[in-house]
Every structure is written in C-alpha cells, then in structure tokens.
Amino acid sequence: MRLLKANIFRAKDKLWLCIWLAGLGILWLWNTLYLNPAAFARLSAASLNTLFVGILVVFLAFLFGWLAALALHFLDETRTRIPYLFLTFLFNLIRSVPQIVGILIGYVILTLFIQGDILRAQTAQLVWMSFVISVFVFLEVADVIRERIAFYMKSDFFDAMLCCGISESRIINTEILLKNSRAHLLHKLISVFGATIFLLCSVDFIVSVGLSTDVSLSNFPTTLGGLLATMDSKQDILAIGTVVTNFRNFSALFFQHLQGISTAWIIVFTLLCLYKISNGFVKRHRL
Amino acid sequence: MTIRRNIRIASGKRTLVSIDNFEIPENRITILLGESGIGKSLMSKALYGLLDPDELDITIDGEPYRTYLARPETATLQHESFFVFQEPSTHLNPLMPLATQMREGSLGFSKSEEAILGTLWQHSPPDDVKKILDVYPKPHRPSGGEKQRILLAMAFKKIDLLIERKQPSEHEIFVFDEPTGSLDNMYRDLFLEMLFERFRKVGFTCLLITHDYSMIEKIHTSHKDIVGKLVFKEVTLVEGKQLLEDFDTDAYLEWLHTQHPSESAGSKTSRSILLAVENGTRVFNRSLIISRDREGEHPCSLELHSGDIVYLKAASGVGKTTLVKLVMGLLRAERLKARLETMQMDEQTPRSFWHKNIWGRRMTMVFQHADEALNPESTVKGTFEGLPALKRATEARIVNILNELFDSALDASFLNKKVKHLSGGQKQRLNLLRGFALDTDVLILDEPLNGLDFESAGKVIAMLQRKQNAGKGIWLISHNEEIFDRIVRKENVYYLRAESGIEKVGPTRN
C-alpha cells in the first residue's frame, strides 16, 4: 500500500494513466454485456483504429521531428546556407497551414487514392492518415529537440565534451536527447497523441457530416470521429437531452443508447486523461 | 561557549549530512577545509537556521529542526551575526539598490561603510564603487567579484558594530562561506587582512569555509601573530558520514615546500614547441596581451614545449579562460594566431578543423567548473564513453583510470552512479580524469584544484608531473599561485592583460 501510495497517488500522471485504462476497461466490460454485437464491433474497430493512428503519429512525428531538428542543426553548424534556408522555408510553409486544413487536404488526396484504387487496404489508409497528421504536427517535436540542443550548446558540458573528442552526433543524441531530454520529449509526445485524437475525431466528424459530396467517410476506415457522426450515435447523444426533461430516461442511457454515448465518452475521457497525465508528468519531472 | 552539534540532514532516502561533532570554538576563527560538496555549507546553514524544514529532513542534536528554529538562541544568532553566502547573487535582493541593502537593519548603524568600501575598492577608479551602489543587482551586473566584495563589506560593517560594543555575544557567529570564490588572490589577501585586523581588536567567533588550501601559506607567512588563534579543521567523508578533524597545517606546508619544478628530459631548446600562441589575440573588441612580467611591459608569444608546464596568470575577468577557449576553437576570435606543431590556427580556421585534428586527439581542455563540464544525467562510467582513446574500454580499464584519484575499493555501484549524485570534489576528480585519460599532446587545465581536498590536490600534482615527464605539454590556469608557483619554472609563467578599444599591442618577443 505504501509503495502504491508513493508510486501512484503522488505521481498524478501515473494515477491518471491508471484511471484512463481502468475507465476504458470498465466501459469495454459494460459494452460486452449490454451493447449489441454489431455496434460493439463497430465501436471496437473505431477505437482500435483511432488508437493505431494515434500511436503511429507519435512514432512518425518523433522520427520526422528528430530528422528535421538534426538536419537544421548540422546544416546550420556547417554553414550550408542554401539547403538550410530551403528546409527552413519548407518547414515554415508547413507551419503556416492550419493543422485542420492540412489534414483535410490530406483526406482529399486519400479520397483520390481510394477512387483510383491506389490505396485499397484499410491498414494502408490508416497509415496514410497517420502520415498526413504527422506532417502537420512533427514540427512541434522538432522545435522541442532544437530548443534542447540550443540550451545545452550554451553550457560548458557541450564544449567540454567536444574538447574531449566526443562526436557531436553522440553528444546530441546520447548526452542531450537521451540522457537529458527524455522527459521533455515524452511530454511532447503525450501532447502529440492527444492532439492526434482530437484532430482525427474532429476531421472525421467534419467530413462525415457532409463537408463535401466528393469526400465521404463511407470508404474510409472507421474511427471514433466517424462513428460519432453516424445517425445511431447522433440519436444516442440527443437522448442525453431528453433526460433533462424526463429523468426517468436516465437509466436507459446506459442500456439503450450505448454506442453514441460510449464513443463520445471515450473521446472526451481520453482527452481529459491525457491532459491530466501531461500536467502530472510536468509536475513530477519539474519541466 | 563552544558550539558542538550533531547534525543530520536527509533528502528523501539520501543522507546529505551526518556529523556527530560539528564544533565551532568560541572567539576563534575556525577555518573549515574540505573538498567541495562534502556538506560544509549545508551543516553551517543548518546551524544558522537557514534551511527549509519542509524541503529537508533535519535533526540537530536529535531534535526536530522546527524545535531548533524556535529556540531563542537561534533567533539571536540570526539577528546578531552575519552569513556571507557562497554564491553572492543569491544573497542580494534584485529589487533593491545595493546602497539600500548595505544599510538595511542594524547595518545602518555602522559608521565604517565608507572606509570599508574604500579599502575593498582601493585598486579601482574612485567613482567605481559609487556607481555600483546605485545598481539593482542582476545575475550579470555587477560582476561576481563586485557582488562578493559588497557582501564582505556588509559582514565587516556588522563586525565593526561588534567592535564598537567591545563585547561579543555568545550567540554571535560570523560565517564566511567561500568568501573568496569569486575573487582573485589580490582581493583574497585583502579580505584576510581586513578580517584579521578586526579580529586583533576584538576576538569573535567566526567560521571561514573554504577549499582553497593555498590560503594556509598566506596566513602563515603574512599573519604569523594570529595563527595561534586560528583553528584549522577539515571535513572528510568516512563510510557515508562526515567527520570533522583537525587539519595538520604543518604537514601541508611541509608538502608545499617539497614541491619543485619537474625536470623534463633534455634541455628546453632541444625539446620541440608543441603549441605557440602569438600575442595580440582579439575578441569582444579587446586585445589580450600576453607578457612575461606582471605589468605587461614585455609582450611575448606563449610557447609550450613538450614536457613543460606553462602557467598563465591574470586577475579575474581578464580573459584567461576566453583565451584558451579561442585556442581550442570554441569561440570565434577577431584575431588569432596559434600553431600546434605544424598546424596553423587563426580566426579563419573552420570549426571542422578542430573537430578533425585537435579535439581529443592532439589537445584537450579540462573546464574549471566540474558541475557544468560534466553531464549530470550521465553515469561515472558513461562519462568515459565516446572518448576517442577509450572507444572499446572495459569496465576494468575505467576502474584503473578512476583509481588514480579515487579510493581503490570502487565497485560497480559507483560506476553506475549518476554524476549529479557525486560531491563537488568527486565531480572535479572525474572531470580531470576524463581529460587525463585522453593522453593528448597538450592538456589545458582551467583551475584544476578547484574544490579538491589536500590529498586529491597532491595526487593531481603528481599526475601532472608524470604527464610532464612523459613529454606532454600542460597549460595551466589557476588561482592557486602558492602551489603552482613552486612546480612551474619561472620562465614558463605568463601574465595576461586585456586592452579595450584601439589596439596597443607591443612588439612580440619570442
């Protein structure tokens, strides 16, 4: 109990991670008992797809961010001006596009791919969606990496290691990023995961409610945002409103309107938990 | 009344201080020596009631710290005495001009302010101190040395009030925690003179914390009359517990007097010049003038032969560290002419040149602040990883290297200990060993004895002499003149001064 107190209750990020997992676990158990099998399969697929995209975006954003930061750093250090300016311009161009607009453009391209039978497999479509989202969020990771490098370059330990003949790439990757910036990077990746869930659900919802007749979610892999926009889920959400005027319907929410409410709850609860985990992480690591 | 306390300080599971006999004799100046980070400041602050009981687990004489803080004698101690902090910036209020802080509380009753400031600024233009008093202290303004002198002036004002009373209270202790850390030797000597001058008038209880062992010789040569009233103590760490023991100044002085320049094989002319730095290096719109005389009347190039130690001296802030950083290619000079054997280096030389040819291969530099020069999140073993000379080094090889300056009973847990958990002295030893392990032709050492205890300092000197005998060139920067003046030949001592604005570089004499 003492160990649990020290590890979980004092570390708010760990506590909220447990709450998140427990919340999702309880919901899954409840839905296995009371949600009809077809809706349960849809909800499970949507949740897993969303989770898959979230994790893949975290991985890709880290990879792109790391490559971009290192490329800019070494081009700057070696005073290779033209490639440095070109990359800076390119990144600033990406930065200037609002994330949601950029992702919508990516969806248009995905539709074209689907129409042209280029991307048939659902996994390939999810990978494309992850790639598009990561293109518009990786610069946040790159910025953190560059800030960390710049911070340590001003310190004596960077120069002292250089004087000892330690290679600059080892100083940056091992000594600065791995040993001194893990917490900062992990914190950024948690926020990237949260942003991905939010962006994915928002865009899928926008697209599915009929932003354009050319782009339709009917051929896209199911995600939580897409599932939320289906007629059944919408009616389930509207059912919450009826509880205000007729409280007797309250218990029906948990037995008859599970699909929409579960979908909405997973999204909101996940975002809340990620926010809390992120805050707890900052506090625990004194970032 | 002699103060004797048992002090325990812990942070979570880590014991920071555990001492059974922390003793400060009454009406004596206790000079507390010991390597950096061993807990000298922490135990003094605990005694003074300056630590936060919410942050640390502290007991004094077995009773909780809150009870100790509530004692009337603790309040009297804080009210009647003065504590000069190691880091002057933390002592000064950034929202109040220095003049106001100088006259705060009981300090306002002292009439000796002008005389004290006049003495402490006797080597500066007359208006300097007046300008400084109007300043709100910031991290970089005034300089560290000036802030330190302001703090010393405050402490001396408080001591002067005591002298006026002519009767010290039994609860008065004046604590000077590394009071000369930001000062060069000239100001260090001035501080000692001012402190002893007051002590001769009225004996008071004073604790002077330092790891500058070279202070001992100065006291024994210039203040012989007072030696009998001084108590030299050293804090050591034995099995995780601090131990306060009498420090044998005679043994130290005997060791010091046996030090002499090591004779390298062959005459100087027959040995090759490893490194030459031409005079007139320019950086930050200042010219750095190297000379063989303190006054700087005979500018010359700095030459380092194989098997030699050269010693560069200058007052704090002149640019000794800047000069070696320029030679090491870490800073970009406005003008630089240096030569490492046949390799020329100047202000146009790209950074990649040092990367490929110099760093860790031909030359290395040990930085002065081990705290900043080592990666705090790295382990002891990790500090040696990535070094060109130790790419495939085994644990046993690293232990061998460590054994040069650490106890021979090193185990795996020490190798895996994070640098941030080492004491200041241990960090400095690790910092030095990393530089020594590279075995480069030229080794630049910036304040190598910083934070070391006497035993470690002796081992470092012996290592330097072994390097010298192996034909390596060593470039030293240090304020420990009493020690290095004995081991460096006079012709290898150089002085540095800076000239601002228009260049006035004299003729270079090689």
Side-chain angles (χ1 to χ4, degrees):
Chain A
M1 192 61 195
R2 216 170 153 190
L3 198 72
L4 194 74
K5 254 188 183 174
N7 280 314
I8 305 290
F9 292 112
R10 278 190 196 167
K12 298 282 181 210
D13 51 337
K14 291 180 185 173
L15 177 68
W16 276 96
L17 180 67
C18 292
I19 292 173
W20 182 48
L21 295 174
L24 293 181
I26 291 166
L27 181 73
W28 179 81
L29 201 66
W30 187 267
N31 282 342
T32 53
L33 296 172
Y34 299 106
L35 187 63
N36 68 73
F40 183 72
R42 271 201 303 273
L43 184 66
S44 301
S47 302
L48 288 174
N49 286 345
T50 307
L51 192 68
F52 175 76
V53 172
I55 292 169
L56 195 58
V57 168
V58 166
F59 173 75
L60 289 175
F62 177 72
L63 183 70
F64 296 161
W66 176 71
L67 287 172
L70 256 59
L72 284 176
H73 171 77
F74 284 108
L75 289 174
D76 193 23
E77 281 293 296
T78 53
R79 302 187 186 278
T80 320
R81 300 315 296 172
I82 292 173
Y84 176 80
L85 290 173
F86 172 75
L87 269 188
T88 308
F89 175 75
L90 181 72
F91 294 156
N92 284 341
L93 195 68
I94 295 172
R95 222 185 282 270
S96 69
V97 179
Q99 287 173 330
I100 212 148
V101 174
I103 294 164
L104 278 170
I105 294 167
Y107 270 47
V108 171
I109 298 168
L110 177 60
T111 310
L112 294 174
F113 284 159
I114 292 170
Q115 281 174 348
D117 263 357
I118 298 168
L119 279 180
R120 278 189 192 169
Q122 188 176 296
T123 314
Q125 291 167 7
L126 287 172
V127 170
W128 173 261
M129 285 155 84
S130 309
F131 172 77
V132 170
I133 297 173
S134 55
V135 164
F136 291 97
V137 295
F138 84 93
L139 285 170
E140 291 182 24
V141 182
D143 289 344
V144 171
I145 294 176
R146 290 212 76 198
E147 272 170 28
R148 298 301 293 165
I149 296 171
F151 175 77
Y152 280 102
M153 275 185 77
K154 284 184 214 146
S155 71
D156 269 357
F157 111 63
F158 189 89
D159 284 345
M161 285 191 176
L162 281 180
C163 284
C164 289
I166 299 173
S167 70
E168 199 164 340
S169 63
R170 187 192 156 86
I171 300 174
I172 288 173
N173 290 314
T174 310
E175 306 294 337
I176 296 177
L177 297 181
L178 183 69
K179 292 183 182 171
N180 279 288
S181 309
R182 276 196 310 252
H184 295 80
L185 287 170
L186 200 56
H187 174 245
K188 181 45 79 181
L189 294 177
I190 293 169
S191 75
V192 163
F193 183 71
T196 304
I197 303 287
F198 177 74
L199 285 169
L200 188 68
C201 293
S202 308
V203 174
D204 284 353
F205 186 80
I206 291 167
V207 172
S208 63
V209 295
L211 186 72
S212 160
T213 49
D214 296 334
V215 186
S216 163
L217 269 193
S218 57
N219 297 326
F220 283 13
T222 319
T223 62
L224 289 171
L227 190 61
L228 195 64
T230 61
M231 192 50 76
D232 290 349
S233 296
K234 283 180 193 166
Q235 283 174 351
D236 293 340
I237 302 293
L238 285 172
I240 298 171
T242 63
V243 175
V244 179
T245 52
N246 189 355
F247 193 73
R248 281 184 201 163
N249 289 345
F250 181 72
S251 60
L253 292 178
F254 301 98
F255 296 99
Q256 291 165 26
H257 299 284
L258 269 176
Q259 180 181 293
I261 289 173
S262 297
T263 312
W265 195 76
I266 292 173
I267 296 170
V268 174
F269 181 64
T270 298
L271 291 176
L272 173 77
C273 289
L274 287 173
Y275 169 73
K276 293 285 188 184
I277 290 169
S278 184
N279 281 354
F281 195 79
V282 167
K283 208 172 170 186
R284 184 157 65 92
H285 292 273
R286 295 174 186 181
L287 299 181
Chain B
M1 189 177 66
T2 296
I3 292 167
R4 211 170 277 116
R5 298 271 185 251
N6 298 337
I7 302 172
R8 303 272 176 280
I9 306 171
S11 170
K13 287 177 188 167
R14 280 185 66 219
T15 302
L16 304 174
V17 169
S18 175
I19 189 162
D20 288 335
N21 61 342
F22 189 55
E23 188 181 288
I24 304 174
E26 192 184 16
N27 297 340
R28 291 274 187 279
I29 295 179
T30 304
I31 297 181
L32 191 61
L33 300 151
E35 74 173 17
S36 173
I38 205 162
K40 304 186 294 290
S41 304
L42 213 51
M43 50 183 99
S44 313
K45 282 180 185 172
L47 188 76
Y48 219 87
L50 294 173
L51 299 179
D52 184 351
D54 292 330
E55 274 195 8
L56 297 164
D57 301 322
I58 308 165
T59 58
I60 292 190
D61 292 336
E63 69 180 16
Y65 198 48
R66 282 182 200 283
T67 314
Y68 176 77
L69 292 179
R71 282 189 195 169
E73 57 264 34
T74 310
T76 314
L77 172 74
Q78 290 176 342
H79 187 257
E80 301 290 332
S81 317
F82 202 88
F83 195 116
V84 175
F85 287 88
Q86 185 170 10
E87 177 42 66
S89 291
T90 60
H91 193 133
L92 297 167
N93 183 351
L95 301 174
M96 209 186 261
L98 287 172
T100 315
Q101 296 186 54
M102 283 282 293
R103 290 151 206 163
E104 236 189 334
S106 59
L107 292 177
F109 299 113
S110 168
K111 297 173 189 108
S112 57
E113 181 181 302
E114 206 172 320
I116 293 169
L117 290 175
T119 313
L120 283 168
W121 264 264
Q122 60 183 278
H123 301 290
S124 310
D127 283 347
D128 263 21
V129 67
K130 282 181 188 161
K131 285 180 196 162
I132 288 167
L133 289 178
D134 293 334
V135 162
Y136 288 83
K138 289 176 186 164
H140 53 282
R141 182 170 171 257
S143 72
E146 285 168 334
K147 283 181 198 160
Q148 187 105 60
R149 280 183 275 163
I150 289 283
L151 280 185
L152 293 178
M154 288 181 187
F156 287 138
K157 280 179 77 175
K158 194 94 182 192
I159 294 173
D160 286 350
L161 285 173
L162 180 152
I163 292 169
E164 277 173 33
R165 283 203 323 266
K166 291 190 178 165
Q167 185 56 53
S169 139
E170 61 174 320
H171 297 300
E172 273 172 339
I173 307 173
F174 292 88
V175 181
F176 292 86
D177 189 359
E178 299 288 359
T180 57
S182 306
L183 304 178
D184 55 36
N185 281 1
M186 183 179 75
Y187 285 110
R188 181 199 70 185
D189 297 345
L190 189 60
F191 158 72
L192 289 175
E193 212 167 283
M194 291 173 81
L195 179 71
F196 294 152
E197 183 192 325
R198 284 164 175 78
F199 189 74
R200 283 183 192 103
K201 287 181 188 164
V202 174
F204 50 87
T205 311
C206 175
L207 180 66
L208 201 166
I209 302 168
T210 184
H211 54 246
D212 180 8
Y213 287 76
S214 57
M215 197 184 266
I216 296 169
E217 198 203 18
K218 181 70 196 170
I219 294 170
H220 278 78
T221 49
S222 305
H223 305 280
K224 275 182 193 160
D225 61 309
I226 217 161
V227 170
K229 292 189 175 175
L230 304 180
V231 180
F232 290 88
K233 296 269 183 187
E234 189 178 38
V235 183
T236 52
L237 203 61
V238 180
E239 291 170 357
K241 287 185 83 174
Q242 280 80 0
L243 206 63
L244 188 69
E245 291 172 318
D246 289 333
F247 180 76
D248 188 352
T249 51
D250 292 339
Y252 168 79
L253 292 170
E254 201 183 313
W255 169 82
L256 193 65
H257 293 139
T258 56
Q259 298 303 307
H260 53 81
S262 176
E263 287 304 323
S264 303
S267 68
K268 189 165 178 167
T269 47
S270 70
R271 282 179 279 124
S272 60
I273 296 178
L274 282 175
L275 178 72
V277 183
E278 273 188 31
N279 212 347
T281 301
R282 268 185 79 78
V283 68
F284 308 139
N285 207 22
R286 290 191 315 167
S287 289
L288 299 176
I289 317 291
I290 304 167
S291 60
R292 287 201 187 275
D293 57 317
R294 203 178 278 273
E295 293 71 33
E297 285 171 4
H298 305 290
C300 63
S301 295
L302 183 143
E303 285 179 359
L304 174 61
H305 290 253
S306 61
D308 258 351
I309 301 179
V310 296
Y311 184 14
L312 184 68
K313 294 185 187 184
S316 290
V318 168
K320 303 184 289 291
T321 303
T322 303
L323 180 65
V324 290
K325 281 190 174 179
L326 293 170
V327 174
M328 283 302 288
L330 297 170
L331 287 176
R332 177 67 58 182
E334 288 157 26
R335 193 172 73 198
L336 170 74
K337 280 219 180 303
R339 181 165 53 83
L340 178 69
E341 290 192 321
T342 53
M343 289 186 279
Q344 298 286 344
M345 296 168 284
D346 59 31
E347 66 278 6
Q348 302 293 336
T349 308
R351 197 174 160 93
S352 56
F353 175 83
W354 274 276
H355 228 316
K356 283 179 193 157
N357 305 300
I358 309 284
W359 290 335
R361 286 162 184 85
R362 304 297 309 279
M363 274 166 74
T364 193
M365 175 179 169
V366 175
F367 283 61
Q368 68 172 311
H369 300 296
D371 256 340
E372 293 160 25
L374 297 171
N375 183 354
E377 292 296 332
S378 186
T379 57
V380 170
K381 191 177 145 195
T383 304
F384 294 93
E385 284 168 1
L387 297 180
L390 296 171
K391 281 235 163 103
R392 287 180 193 84
T394 58
E395 258 187 26
R397 168 100 172 87
I398 293 172
V399 169
N400 270 346
I401 293 168
L402 291 169
N403 279 341
E404 298 250 24
L405 289 179
F406 286 87
D407 292 337
S408 52
L410 289 175
D411 55 11
S413 68
F414 184 77
L415 287 181
N416 294 320
K417 203 170 181 180
K418 282 201 173 177
V419 168
K420 67 180 176 188
H421 294 143
L422 301 178
S423 72
Q426 286 175 324
K427 281 180 199 162
Q428 177 64 358
R429 283 184 265 164
L430 194 62
N431 187 29
L432 287 163
L433 286 172
R434 181 175 63 177
F436 284 131
L438 288 166
D439 207 31
T440 49
D441 298 331
V442 175
L443 180 62
I444 300 175
L445 301 169
D446 195 355
E447 300 291 356
L449 305 185
N450 242 2
L452 295 182
D453 58 5
F454 169 42
E455 191 189 343
S456 302
K459 285 181 184 175
V460 171
I461 304 277
M463 282 180 83
L464 282 181
Q465 289 177 330
R466 281 202 297 277
K467 286 264 172 206
Q468 193 188 355
N469 293 337
K472 308 293 180 190
I474 295 157
W475 180 350
L476 276 176
I477 294 171
S478 175
H479 66 266
N480 295 102
E481 290 189 23
E482 285 79 3
I483 296 173
F484 287 116
D485 274 344
R486 289 175 188 277
I487 67 160
V488 180
R489 276 194 286 266
K490 280 204 173 80
E491 67 266 27
N492 287 343
V493 176
Y494 293 89
Y495 295 87
L496 188 74
R497 67 190 171 86
E499 282 186 358
S500 310
I502 304 159
E503 280 176 77
K504 281 186 212 162
V505 183
T508 296
R509 193 180 62 183
N510 288 327

